[in-house]
């Protein structure tokens, strides 16, 4: 079992719809959770981070964390073609410095 | 403010050679991490340096090594290159490295022939 699992996709959504990206993790010691966006040929860019159970909203993005279920998700409202990218889920353990464990990413395609 | 700078952008080497990659973090950032990205394995953690000390290490063979200088700039070295070392090597920096946001550089694309 991989430490961080994501559906590789591609996940296709129409422009203006809500895109829902999911991630599960296996280590209950994981403490912080990150979503990175990576455009083809570019480096990852942090878009959301969440530490506590519940929802965290930032503009069109909402991160959701459920530690009991070991599940973290990212919702993108009003999806735009510019949101088309690979979304990487990453987790970090308590006291782990910056040793992030990444999922392999979900490719999102927002269609006109 | 300048971002994370990695040099060189591209490298082509042959099996058995060694290579050194360089990373200059964002000014003021003291933590530098290195990751290897391949299509099959995704992003995998190599090591992290903070204040010139290796704080974390991933599950890579000893051929992979790194160091950090007093100005927080970091280098990683891969000796005795293998074909499987072909990858994008990404450097990321943060202020102190404790569960913080990472800022990634553009990476060095290494091809081993």
């Amino acid at each position: 079992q991989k430490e961080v699992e994501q559906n590789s996709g591609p996940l296709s959504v129409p422009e203006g719809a809500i895109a829902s990206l999911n991630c599960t993790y296996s280590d209950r010691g994981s403490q912080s959770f990150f979503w990175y966006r990576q455009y083809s040929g570019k480096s990852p860019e942090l878009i959301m981070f969440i530490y506590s159970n519940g929802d965290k909203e930032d503009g069109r993005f909402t991160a959701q964390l459920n530690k009991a279920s070991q599940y973290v998700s990212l919702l993108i409202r009003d999806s735009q073609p510019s949101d088309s990218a690979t979304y990487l889920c990453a987790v970090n353990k308590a006291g782990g410095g910056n040793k992030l464990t990444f999922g392999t990413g979900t490719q999102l395609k927002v269609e006109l | 403010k300048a971002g994370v700078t990695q040099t060189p952008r591209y490298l082509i080497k042959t099996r058995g050679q060694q290579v050194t990659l360089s990373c200059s973090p964002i000014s003021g950032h003291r933590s530098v991490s290195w990751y290897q990205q391949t299509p099959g394995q995704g992003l995998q953690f190599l090591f992290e340096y903070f204040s010139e000390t290796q704080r974390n290490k991933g599950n890579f063979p000893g051929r992979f090594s790194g160091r950090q200088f007093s100005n927080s700039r970091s280098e990683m070295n891969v000796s005795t290159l293998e074909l499987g070392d072909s990858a994008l090597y990404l450097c990321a920096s943060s202020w102190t490295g404790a569960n913080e946001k990472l800022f990634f550089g553009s990476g060095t694309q290494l091809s081993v022939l």
Side-chain angles (χ1 to χ4, degrees):
Chain A
Q1 180 189 8
K2 290 185 178 180
E3 290 189 57
V4 179
E5 297 211 48
Q6 297 179 256
N7 188 319
S8 61
L11 171 66
S12 293
V13 299
E15 184 179 5
I18 296 175
S20 178
L21 304 163
N22 304 314
C23 171
T24 58
Y25 59 95
S26 60
D27 190 336
R28 287 194 174 274
S30 300
Q31 187 179 51
S32 49
F33 307 84
F34 304 85
W35 283 98
Y36 284 83
R37 177 176 62 198
Q38 187 172 27
Y39 292 113
S40 181
K42 301 294 185 182
S43 58
E45 173 193 17
L46 179 71
I47 53 172
M48 288 289 290
F49 62 94
I50 186 167
Y51 301 145
S52 305
N53 274 331
D55 295 359
K56 179 180 179 182
E57 186 175 319
D58 184 0
R60 296 186 296 113
F61 299 97
T62 299
Q64 299 174 317
L65 175 62
N66 184 325
K67 288 187 177 180
S69 299
Q70 295 175 246
Y71 175 93
V72 58
S73 65
L74 178 70
L75 300 177
I76 306 174
R77 290 181 298 280
D78 189 23
S79 295
Q80 301 296 310
S82 59
D83 295 326
S84 298
T86 296
Y87 289 80
L88 300 165
C89 172
V91 304
N92 200 0
K93 298 179 188 180
N98 271 329
K99 185 179 179 180
L100 294 186
T101 301
F102 282 84
T104 51
T106 297
Q107 185 182 8
L108 173 66
K109 293 185 176 180
V110 180
E111 300 168 334
L112 295 170
Chain B
K1 195 173 189 179
V4 179
T5 304
Q6 291 189 246
T7 57
R9 186 69 180 90
Y10 300 96
L11 266 178
I12 299 176
K13 293 286 187 180
T14 57
R15 280 182 299 173
Q17 287 187 307
Q18 76 165 17
V19 66
T20 299
L21 313 180
S22 179
C23 171
S24 292
I26 292 172
S27 178
H29 285 193
R30 295 167 62 194
S31 168
V32 173
S33 305
W34 289 89
Y35 289 82
Q36 180 196 67
Q37 187 172 31
T38 58
Q41 298 296 319
L43 271 158
Q44 293 186 283
F45 174 80
L46 281 157
F47 26 67
E48 179 202 6
Y49 286 88
F50 179 75
S51 293
E52 302 178 66
T53 300
Q54 187 179 86
R55 183 159 61 179
N56 280 296
K57 189 177 189 307
N59 298 322
F60 279 81
R63 300 185 297 106
F64 292 81
S65 63
R67 58 178 176 170
Q68 186 180 33
F69 302 95
S70 59
N71 61 358
S72 293
R73 189 177 72 85
S74 177
E75 289 181 346
M76 70 164 280
N77 183 278
V78 188
S79 62
T80 320
L81 284 166
E82 300 178 359
L83 295 178
D85 297 333
S86 294
L88 178 66
Y89 290 87
L90 290 162
C91 165
S93 75
S94 69
W95 291 103
T96 65
N99 288 320
E100 290 182 324
K101 296 177 280 186
L102 294 184
F103 295 86
F104 282 88
S106 298
T108 294
Q109 183 68 54
L110 172 65
S111 297
V112 182
L113 306 178

